[in-house]
Amino acid sequence: MHVPDGFIDAPTSAVTGVIAAGAIAVSLRGARHELEEKTAPLAGLVAAFIFAVQMLNFPVAAGTSGHLLGGALAAILVGPFTGVLCVSVVLLMQGILFADGGLTALGVNITDMAVVTTVVSYALFRGLLTVLPRSRRSVTAASFVAALLSVPAAAVAFTLIYAIGGTTDVAIGKVATAMIGVHVLIGIGEAAITALTVGAVIAVRPDLVHGARGLRQELKLRVDGELVDAPAAPAPAAARTSRRALWITGLVASLVLAGFVSFYASADPDGLEKVAHDHGIDQKAEEHASADSPLADYGVKDVSDARLSGGLAGVIGVGVTVVAGSAVFWALRRRRTQEVSPAGTDL
């Protein structure tokens, strides 16, 4: 779904750039209220994990592959505003360092892959939780459905953007049919990855999952015909996994996925690449501005061994993303702390 330079004309790219900048500005404010002392470190890890899993293209049809978009996963784990920022950090790192997704198309990619997927998935997720039993299984099930539908939603968004500013003369009906059809299949993979990840984190630290907050309903007792609040429940048992252990485990998993497992990912073009090639959308594609980057195309320049080159690039990408993401979220958390602290103590 990474849109290259040249697919969308300059005016439309500029407008989506403004939309993306506005969404990021709103998300920066909103994330300050989502991030807590115990969850802020998780946000940087979520960005790194999304980067790593996006390197794992999986086959979805003959000659076509797909990969995680990550909007649903980020929104459910750390909140919708923080989720937009997580995916935006990943897209920025991919565009600048790895020549993946055009720089002039960065606004298109953030709008489509970060904003649309996060907003659609989290709205569906919250809506499903209002009708499902309030349980951890419901969170996992709602995660699956929300992630599944977020991918074709992003395909629809791209189709609309292309209808407005596409640089080639291709019937929009053909683009819509092809994009939505293949991305429904990709959505199944997105849903499986999202549900498995959310379920795994809930199993060990449900208190760190934004979408699982408030699952336990307050108990009521009927006394003399009137409902009253039940006595406070005893404090929950200590978490089975410390935050530090969870963070280290997640980072190691991200490094292994990007540094080793990614070598075995499908080499077939992803959904957008396939549709663009088959229908001529890529006729005016431009060379990436970062094509000469030492990490372009997820390989380390001058390292001849493909396995080693790709693995090193993946490890570097995870490292850079977790540092960049953690810096952003640490700064937001610190800003929130300063805002809620008393202005002064003098009397």
Side-chain angles (χ1 to χ4, degrees):
M1 191 70 78
H2 293 78
V3 179
D5 295 318
F7 276 27
I8 306 298
D9 63 27
T12 307
S13 296
V15 170
T16 55
V18 172
I19 294 172
I24 289 175
V26 171
S27 297
L28 286 169
R29 293 184 61 86
R32 293 207 299 266
H33 301 287
E34 290 176 343
L35 294 170
E36 300 176 353
E37 182 179 354
K38 65 181 181 179
T39 59
L42 182 64
L45 177 62
V46 168
F49 183 77
I50 290 173
F51 175 90
V53 180
Q54 283 196 2
M55 293 182 67
L56 309 180
N57 281 47
F58 48 84
V60 295
T64 310
S65 68
H67 63 69
L68 181 80
L69 298 185
L73 177 62
I76 294 164
L77 286 180
V78 293
F81 294 109
T82 309
V84 169
L85 298 178
C86 283
V87 181
S88 297
V89 168
V90 173
L91 293 171
L92 187 61
M93 295 299 103
Q94 290 171 331
I96 293 176
L97 298 179
F98 298 91
D100 188 10
L103 296 184
T104 62
L106 187 58
V108 175
N109 286 321
I110 290 177
T111 300
D112 194 22
M113 295 178 64
V115 179
V116 171
T117 59
T118 301
V119 171
V120 170
S121 63
Y122 197 71
L124 288 169
F125 175 78
R126 299 309 308 182
L128 288 169
L129 286 188
T130 62
V131 297
L132 292 173
R134 299 172 65 85
S135 67
R136 296 178 185 179
R137 290 184 178 179
S138 295
V139 172
T140 303
S143 300
F144 184 94
V145 176
L148 172 64
L149 296 178
S150 71
V151 179
V156 170
F158 169 79
T159 303
L160 293 175
I161 293 172
Y162 183 81
I164 296 170
T167 56
T168 53
D169 186 17
V170 179
I172 196 62
K174 292 182 178 180
V175 176
T177 300
M179 283 292 294
I180 296 171
V182 72
H183 283 91
V184 167
L185 299 177
I186 295 173
I188 297 173
E190 177 101 11
I193 294 170
T194 300
L196 287 171
T197 305
V198 170
V201 179
I202 286 180
V204 294
R205 289 300 300 262
D207 58 310
L208 298 182
V209 178
H210 182 88
R213 294 177 180 177
L215 285 182
R216 185 174 297 175
Q217 294 177 313
E218 296 183 358
L219 296 178
K220 298 284 186 178
L221 295 178
R222 186 174 296 277
V223 179
D224 296 330
E226 296 183 1
L227 290 176
V228 298
D229 292 333
R240 284 181 278 176
T241 303
S242 68
R243 279 180 287 159
R244 177 177 295 181
L246 178 64
W247 195 91
I248 293 173
T249 301
L251 180 60
V252 170
S254 299
L255 291 170
V256 170
L257 291 173
F260 177 72
V261 180
S262 62
F263 182 77
Y264 301 97
S266 173
D268 290 333
D270 66 23
L272 177 58
E273 290 175 321
K274 180 66 172 175
V275 171
H277 176 74
D278 290 348
H279 295 275
I281 296 175
D282 59 356
Q283 292 176 10
K284 295 186 179 181
E286 301 172 1
E287 184 179 19
H288 200 286
S290 299
D292 294 330
S293 166
L295 299 172
D297 297 324
Y298 297 93
V300 177
K301 189 176 182 180
D302 297 329
V303 176
S304 57
D305 184 273
R307 184 191 297 269
L308 179 60
S309 178
L312 286 174
V315 169
I316 292 170
V318 168
V320 171
T321 303
V322 75
V323 169
S326 296
V328 170
F329 300 123
W330 178 83
L332 289 174
R333 172 60 189 164
R334 185 180 182 186
R335 178 74 177 273
R336 179 187 175 185
T337 301
Q338 292 174 343
E339 288 178 349
V340 300
S341 298
T345 56
D346 294 337
L347 296 176

